[in-house]
């Protein structure tokens, strides 16, 4: 028999972002009168959940998970499931079962306009988001009920150091304290030991890489040549893996380098910017140099490690990406953008449909007014100010997200129905 009364909300948490955000969220939901449970799949999950009586360890195999999850839904009387990202195998199975049972699925992700926002949706995010089926005119109609002024986009990443720190700490627990979870297999192909080494290396090298990045950016800004930006992503990220036509980042780089060599004027340059969390598991710089040499444009192609995008965007002629959220910073500035994967912002009003060679030769401009309506719609619905990794960011999220989770309307329906709560003004989270 279910353990709760028929009217009580029962939240079952699965895997969340590294760090204590899910624990803080569960505590607030309990304070609101809900029952909260957490399934942990490894020692890293356990380390960041501080309410031991509500913790449920899963020590089975992947094949055991569907049956175990179905039993948990039944035995606990679950009404809602909460997870971070909806594409890893354990989450995809849970979402399918929850939908079939008519449960509410709360999905968190990094912000579509990161760094100072996070994404909260129901049912799915990224390529599985309701935004994929919405048109700009539909959004504009919903915005008639609102007079909110959208804040300017921040110019740099938010809580990067905390993000890397919690990632390293999480993988340390999985590597050295995982004896009770011998059947655990990460959703990524890389062994946990290698993940930990990469996070630790990234943490230790951050000061040196920051200097290298600033010098590379300064050289480009002082050079005086026109340039186009290629915005890279993490090859192992779910948006790239599940919602793009490429098998690897190398495939995307080859397409871009070939398109640039064939289409761009000979005095133009290509600047390839790595993702801020790129950790070296893919030899992006080496692949790029090889491709550029093969096309005879080695002196016109430049590589920049992560860091602030705004400084490079200020003078860029165009930008290309698979489906990076950084595309939103491009569109905010009215810069032509070419996208190859599925993205919530890939609307025909402001993303180019030109062949790549034509795009590099003479790109069409986006409809900047339509994009600003789209951005405002996101900030009125699924984008919340705050962050997962810093204490200040978590406090800012808690002031709003729990009420949204307890609401009968999802963020998009709430705006349509006029039930959306007033939005907080953005405060920079450091």
């Amino acid at each position: 028999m279910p353990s709760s009364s028929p009217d009580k909300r029962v939240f079952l948490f699965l895997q969340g972002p590294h760090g204590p955000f899910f624990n803080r969220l569960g505590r607030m939901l309990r304070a609101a009168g809900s029952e909260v449970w957490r399934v942990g799949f490894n020692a890293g999950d356990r380390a960041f959940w501080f309410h031991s009586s509500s913790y449920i360890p899963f020590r089975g195999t992947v094949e055991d998970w569907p049956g175990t999850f179905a039993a948990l839904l039944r035995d606990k009387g679950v009404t809602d499931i909460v997870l971070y990202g909806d594409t890893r195998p354990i989450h995809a199975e849970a979402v399918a079962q929850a939908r079939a049972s008519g449960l509410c699925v709360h999905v968190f992700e990094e912000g579509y306009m990161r760094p100072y926002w996070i994404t909260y949706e129901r049912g799915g995010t990224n390529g599985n988001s309701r935004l994929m089926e919405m048109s700009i005119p539909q959004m504009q109609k919903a915005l008639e009920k609102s007079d909110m002024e959208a804040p300017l986009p921040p110019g740099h990443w938010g809580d990067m150091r905390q993000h890397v720190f919690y990632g390293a700490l999480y993988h340390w627990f999985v590597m050295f304290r995982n004896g009770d979870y011998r059947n655990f297999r990460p959703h990524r192909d890389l062994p946990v030991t290698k993940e930990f080494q990469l996070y630790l290396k990234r943490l230790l090298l951050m000061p040196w890489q920051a200097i290298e990045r600033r010098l590379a950016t300064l050289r480009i800004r002082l050079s005086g040549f026109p340039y186009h930006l290629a915005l890279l992503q993490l090859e192992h990220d779910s948006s790239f893996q599940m919602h793009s036509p490429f098998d690897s980042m190398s495939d995307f780089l080859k397409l871009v380098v070939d398109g640039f060599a064939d289409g761009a004027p000979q005095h133009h340059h290509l600047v390839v910017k790595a993702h801020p969390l790129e950790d070296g598991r893919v030899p992006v710089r080496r692949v790029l140099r090889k491709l550029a040499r093969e096309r005879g444009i080695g002196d016109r192609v430049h590589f920049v490690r992560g860091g602030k995008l705004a400084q490079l965007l200020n003078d860029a002629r165009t930008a290309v990406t698979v489906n990076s959220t950084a595309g939103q910073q491009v569109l905010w500035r009215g810069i032509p953008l070419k996208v190859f994967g599925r993205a919530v912002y890939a609307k025909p009003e402001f993303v180019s449909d030109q062949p790549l060679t034509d795009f590099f030769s003479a790109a069409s401009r986006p409809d900047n007014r339509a994009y600003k309506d789209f951005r405002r719609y996101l900030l009125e619905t699924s984008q919340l100010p705050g962050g997962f990794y810093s204490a200040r960011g978590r406090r800012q999220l808690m002031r709003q997200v729990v009420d949204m989770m307890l609401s009968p309307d999802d963020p998009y329906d709430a705006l349509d129905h006029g039930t959306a709560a007033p939005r907080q003004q953005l405060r920079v989270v450091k």
Side-chain angles (χ1 to χ4, degrees), residues 68-311:
T68 300
F69 183 71
L72 283 173
L73 296 185
R74 182 181 63 250
D75 296 345
K76 302 298 184 186
V78 173
T79 60
D80 303 70
I81 67 169
V82 187
L83 40 87
Y84 173 75
D86 60 353
T87 58
R88 63 185 71 178
I90 57 172
H91 286 178
E93 171 64 29
V95 169
Q97 285 198 35
R99 284 177 174 167
S101 300
L103 307 185
C104 189
V105 179
H106 306 268
V107 188
F108 288 90
E109 254 292 3
E110 303 294 343
Y112 292 144
M113 295 180 298
R114 65 186 72 172
Y116 295 119
W117 292 276
I118 65 95
T119 296
Y120 165 69
E121 295 184 273
R122 295 188 186 176
T125 59
N126 294 312
N128 296 324
S129 168
R130 285 184 60 190
L131 291 168
M132 299 299 297
E133 310 304 323
M134 292 185 199
S135 68
I136 298 300
Q138 286 176 312
M139 298 178 188
Q140 290 168 332
K141 184 177 180 180
L143 285 171
E144 293 174 0
K145 303 179 177 69
S146 166
D147 59 358
M148 170 186 169
E149 289 294 327
L152 294 173
H156 63 282
W157 195 279
D159 39 10
M160 171 62 74
R161 286 170 296 180
Q162 296 96 324
H163 192 157
V164 175
F165 170 76
Y166 280 126
L169 186 59
Y170 176 90
H171 286 95
W172 184 89
F173 277 106
V174 176
M175 190 164 62
F176 294 112
R177 293 288 186 269
N178 222 43
D180 289 341
Y181 301 89
R182 299 186 185 279
N183 290 315
F184 171 72
R185 298 293 180 270
H187 63 283
R188 295 171 181 161
D189 295 334
L190 210 63
V192 173
T193 52
K194 185 64 174 176
E195 287 267 9
F196 171 73
Q197 290 169 7
L198 290 172
Y199 269 103
L200 184 60
K201 178 182 177 183
R202 179 84 176 96
L203 197 61
L204 295 174
L205 290 180
M206 282 181 80
W208 161 250
Q209 291 177 348
I211 295 171
E212 178 193 4
R213 179 174 64 246
R214 290 191 186 102
L215 290 174
T217 301
L218 185 62
R219 283 194 296 268
I220 292 165
R221 295 182 66 195
L222 295 178
S223 66
F225 51 66
Y227 62 85
H228 306 259
L229 270 177
L231 305 175
L232 302 189
Q233 295 160 247
L234 300 176
E235 188 176 290
H236 57 272
D237 184 77
S238 62
S239 291
F240 183 86
Q241 291 288 328
M242 305 300 294
H243 304 301
S244 89
F246 303 105
D247 293 326
S248 69
M249 193 55 66
S250 298
D251 294 340
F252 172 64
L253 280 173
K254 177 169 175 50
L255 181 71
V256 171
V257 169
D258 287 343
F260 175 80
D262 293 336
Q266 293 187 13
H267 62 292
H268 285 208
H269 288 230
L270 176 67
V271 175
V272 177
K273 182 182 178 299
H275 188 278
L277 287 172
E278 182 59 61
D279 53 18
R281 71 184 68 189
V282 177
V284 175
R285 189 199 294 262
R286 187 166 72 242
V287 170
L288 178 64
R289 285 175 175 168
K290 179 175 181 295
L291 291 170
R293 278 199 311 269
E294 290 173 352
R295 292 306 309 264
I297 56 172
D299 60 337
R300 295 168 56 204
V301 177
H302 313 268
F303 177 81
V304 177
R305 282 184 192 273
K308 296 181 181 181
L309 178 58
Q311 293 180 353

Side-chain angles (χ1 to χ4, degrees), residues 45-61:
D45 293 341
R46 180 67 187 89
F48 292 112
W49 189 259
F50 309 129
H51 191 261
S52 58
S53 62
S54 63
Y55 181 77
I56 305 169
F58 174 73
R59 299 188 176 98
T61 64

Side-chain angles (χ1 to χ4, degrees), residues 228 254-265 268 295 318 320 338 340 352-364:
H228 306 259
K254 177 169 175 50
L255 181 71
V256 171
V257 169
D258 287 343
F260 175 80
D262 293 336
H268 285 208
R295 292 306 309 264
T318 70
V320 295
K338 178 75 175 174
F340 291 92
S352 175
D353 62 356
Q354 296 171 276
L356 190 56
T357 52
D358 294 346
F359 179 78
F360 279 125
S361 175
S364 57

